[in-house]
Coordinates of all heavy atoms in Angstrom, one line a residue:
Chain A
A157 N -18.3 28.8 31.4 CA -18.1 30.0 32.5 C -17.4 29.4 33.7 O -16.5 30.1 34.2 CB -19.4 30.5 32.9
Y158 N -17.7 28.2 34.1 CA -17.1 27.6 35.3 C -15.5 27.4 35.0 O -14.7 27.8 35.9 CB -17.7 26.3 35.6 CG -16.8 25.5 36.6 CD1 -16.7 25.9 37.9 CD2 -16.1 24.4 36.2 CE1 -15.9 25.1 38.9 CE2 -15.3 23.7 37.0 CZ -15.2 24.1 38.4 OH -14.4 23.4 39.3
T159 N -15.2 26.8 33.9 CA -13.8 26.5 33.5 C -13.0 27.8 33.5 O -11.9 27.9 34.0 CB -13.7 25.7 32.2 OG1 -14.6 24.6 32.4 CG2 -12.2 25.2 32.0
F160 N -13.5 28.8 32.7 CA -12.7 30.0 32.5 C -12.8 31.0 33.6 O -12.1 32.0 33.6 CB -13.0 30.6 31.1 CG -12.7 29.8 30.0 CD1 -13.6 29.2 29.1 CD2 -11.3 29.3 29.8 CE1 -13.2 28.5 28.0 CE2 -10.9 28.5 28.8 CZ -11.9 28.1 27.9
S161 N -13.6 30.7 34.6 CA -13.6 31.5 35.8 C -12.4 31.2 36.7 O -11.9 32.0 37.5 CB -14.8 31.3 36.7 OG -14.7 30.0 37.3
Q162 N -11.6 30.1 36.3 CA -10.4 29.9 36.9 C -9.2 30.3 36.0 O -9.0 29.7 34.9 CB -10.2 28.4 37.1 CG -11.4 27.8 38.0 CD -11.6 26.3 37.9 OE1 -10.8 25.6 38.4 NE2 -12.6 26.0 37.0
P163 N -8.5 31.4 36.4 CA -7.6 32.0 35.4 C -6.5 31.0 35.0 O -6.1 31.2 33.8 CB -7.0 33.1 36.3 CG -7.9 33.5 37.4 CD -8.6 32.2 37.7
V164 N -6.1 30.1 35.8 CA -5.1 29.2 35.3 C -5.5 28.4 34.1 O -4.7 28.2 33.2 CB -4.8 28.1 36.5 CG1 -5.9 27.3 36.8 CG2 -3.6 27.2 36.1
F165 N -6.9 28.0 34.0 CA -7.2 27.4 32.8 C -7.2 28.3 31.5 O -6.9 28.0 30.4 CB -8.7 26.8 33.0 CG -8.7 25.5 33.8 CD1 -9.3 25.4 34.9 CD2 -7.8 24.4 33.4 CE1 -9.3 24.2 35.7 CE2 -7.8 23.3 34.1 CZ -8.5 23.1 35.2
T166 N -7.7 29.6 31.7 CA -7.7 30.5 30.7 C -6.3 30.6 30.1 O -6.1 30.7 28.9 CB -8.2 31.9 31.3 OG1 -9.5 31.6 31.9 CG2 -8.5 32.9 30.0
V167 N -5.3 30.7 31.0 CA -3.9 30.9 30.6 C -3.5 29.7 29.8 O -2.9 29.8 28.7 CB -3.0 31.2 31.8 CG1 -1.5 31.2 31.3 CG2 -3.3 32.6 32.4
I168 N -3.7 28.5 30.4 CA -3.3 27.3 29.7 C -3.9 27.2 28.4 O -3.3 26.9 27.3 CB -3.7 26.0 30.5 CG1 -2.9 26.1 31.9 CG2 -3.5 24.8 29.8 CD1 -3.2 25.0 32.9

Side-chain angles (χ1 to χ4, degrees):
Chain A
Y158 165 74
T159 307
F160 292 120
S161 69
Q162 304 159 76
V164 61
F165 282 122
T166 311
V167 171
I168 293 175

